[in-house]
Amino acid sequence: MRRILALAASLALLLTGCAAGGDGPDDDGVVRLRFQSLAWQKESVDANRQLVKEWNAAHPGIRVEYVQGSWDSVHDQLLTSFEGGEAPDIIHDASDDLADFAYGGHLADLRPLLSERLRADIPARGWETTTFGEGVYGVPFLQEPRVLIANRKILESSGVRVPTPDDPWSWTEFRQIAQDLTRTMGSGRHAVAWPLKEPVSVSLNLGVSAGGRLFHRDPDGRVTVDFTEADGIVPGTIHDLVVTDRTAPRTTLGSGGSDTLPGFFAGKYAMVPLGFAYRQQIAQQAPKDFEWTVLPAPVGAEGLAQGVSPQTLSIAADSPHKKEAAQFLDFFLRPANMVRLARGDWMLPTGTAALADPSLHTARDGWATGAAVAEHLRPAPAQSVRGYPEWKDKVATPAFQEYYSGAIDGAELRRRLVEDGNRVLARYQRR
C-alpha cells in the first residue's frame, strides 16, 4: 500500500510538472526550465522561491518554474519521470540517491557545464559525494553533521566535562559520561535517547569517526562489505548504552528524531543525537525556560570526521537546455545565496566562501559548533555503492535494529551485514 501511495504521489508531481509546459522555448523565444525543489520548511521554501523570483526578474529570456517535490517520494517520482521522458530540468535530491540515476544515464555530467567559480568554491571532498565513475552528476550545496543536542541545566548541574569541537568526548568517554548522567538524573530518566528508526546512516556516518568504512572497493571497481573492528566501535557503543548500561532507553529505538523531543523537553533525556537541522524544531517548540546547547558528536581515531550525504542539484540528461540550467545553478549557489539557503534549512553550506560567513559562526543556536564540524565532513561510506538502497532496506536496517535492541549479538550483526550484504551487492555488479 505504501508503495502504491508513493507512486501515486510521484505521478501527481509528474503531472504537475507536465502541466506547466514543455522544455522547449515558446514562440517568443523564451527558454523555460522546471526546477523541482524538495525544500519543505517554510523558511527554506521561502528562500528557494525568492531566489527563483530574483533570477526570473534579472533573466527574462530564461524563465525558471518552481515545482514542489517531496523527500518522501522523490526516488520513485524521479524514476517515473526519467522513464517517461518528463524529468524536471533541474533536480534537487541527496547525493546518496544519485548513484543509480547517474550510472543509468539519467543525469547530465556537469564537468563541462559548471563555472570555474563554482567548481573552485566547493572543496574536493564535497565533489567526491557526487562523482560516479568519471563524471560529476550533482552540485553538493547543503550538508548536515550529526550533533548532540543537550539539556544545558542537566549537564551543568551534573558536573561532567562539557565537550567542545577542540576537545570532544571520545566514544569511550561518552559511555562513561552517560553512566554518570543517568545516576545523577535518577530513576526513570536516561542520559541519552537514540532515535534510530533509520539506523543505517547514523551507524555508518558516525562510524567514520572511529575509522569505519564498511564498503571496500577493489582495483577492478567491485565493492564488497567487510565489518572490521573499527566498524564495530560506534554500533557497539550504542548497543552497550541501551542493552548493557541501560543509560539509553529501548523505547526510542524505533522513533524518528522529532518523536524524542517531548521527552527531551520534559527532562527525561539529557541528550539526543540529531541532525543539525533539528535545531529549528527545538528553537521553535521548546518551552520558554528550556535551555539547550549543541555539542559535537563523540569521536574516535579519525577525530571529528563524519560521513555525510549532502543535498544536491543536478541537471537531467534529457534536458535540451543544460547550458541555461547550469547558468541558473551558478546564480542559485552564489556564496550569499548559499548562505540564505543554509539558514533557511538550518543546515550548513558546502561552499568555502559561504561557510565563512560570520552569521554561521555565532554561538546562538549552536551555529559555531556545526561550522567547526563541517570542515571535517567526508563522503558517506555508501556514497557510490550500487545496490545500497536494497542492502540498506533488506539487510542492514533489520540487522541494526535487532542488534541495538539486544535481539542479536555482534557476531550475528557482522554475519548479516557481510554475508547477506555481499549477496545483494553482487547482483548489481555482474559483468
Side-chain angles (χ1 to χ4, degrees), residues 118-140:
L118 187 54
R119 288 198 298 266
D121 186 45
I122 297 174
R125 64 179 180 273
W127 291 116
E128 289 176 22
T129 66
T130 57
T131 298
F132 304 95
E134 298 298 321
V136 174
Y137 295 94
V139 182

Side-chain angles (χ1 to χ4, degrees), residues 161-170 173 295-299 304:
R161 183 180 78 81
V162 177
T164 65
D166 291 331
D167 191 14
W169 289 328
S170 68
E173 186 180 9
L295 310 176
V299 305
L304 292 172

Side-chain angles (χ1 to χ4, degrees), residues 41-90:
Q41 300 179 97
K42 183 180 185 305
E43 292 176 60
S44 180
V45 172
D46 289 347
N48 277 260
R49 286 186 175 276
Q50 181 60 32
L51 286 173
V52 169
K53 182 178 179 180
E54 291 173 15
W55 165 271
N56 286 336
H59 301 81
I62 307 173
R63 304 286 296 178
V64 174
E65 177 200 356
Y66 182 95
V67 179
Q68 186 63 61
S70 169
W71 286 108
D72 293 336
S73 58
V74 64
H75 186 87
D76 285 341
Q77 182 265 322
L78 286 175
L79 186 61
T80 301
S81 64
F82 285 137
E83 292 178 348
E86 292 290 346
D89 300 273
I90 302 158

Side-chain angles (χ1 to χ4, degrees), residues 269-355:
Y269 323 122
M271 298 177 288
V272 184
L274 294 170
F276 196 58
Y278 274 95
R279 297 170 305 123
Q280 181 185 34
Q281 282 185 253
I282 294 170
Q284 293 176 345
Q285 298 174 11
K288 289 184 178 181
D289 61 345
F290 185 81
E291 298 181 19
W292 57 280
T293 187
V294 178
L295 310 176
V299 305
E302 298 297 318
L304 292 172
Q306 291 184 31
V308 67
S309 297
Q311 293 187 24
T312 58
L313 293 171
S314 301
I315 298 174
D318 288 343
S319 172
H321 301 296
K322 298 181 183 65
K323 178 180 177 182
E324 291 84 354
Q327 290 173 5
F328 172 74
L329 292 186
D330 189 67
F331 162 82
F332 195 73
L333 300 178
R334 288 175 182 172
N337 293 344
M338 204 181 279
V339 171
R340 292 164 65 182
L341 293 167
R343 292 191 64 84
D345 249 326
W346 287 62
M347 297 177 71
L348 293 162
T350 59
T352 302
L355 189 58

Side-chain angles (χ1 to χ4, degrees), residues 38 71 74-75 93-102 107 128-132 140 146 198 200-202 204-205 307-312 379-390 392:
L38 302 181
W71 286 108
V74 64
H75 186 87
D93 203 350
S95 59
D96 60 356
D97 192 42
L98 298 185
D100 289 342
F101 295 144
L107 301 177
E128 289 176 22
T129 66
T130 57
T131 298
F132 304 95
R146 295 185 182 275
E198 301 288 344
V200 181
S201 63
V202 175
L204 269 60
N205 291 339
V308 67
S309 297
Q311 293 187 24
T312 58
Q383 200 63 64
S384 60
V385 177
R386 299 200 71 178
Y388 169 72
E390 182 178 346
K392 180 185 71 172

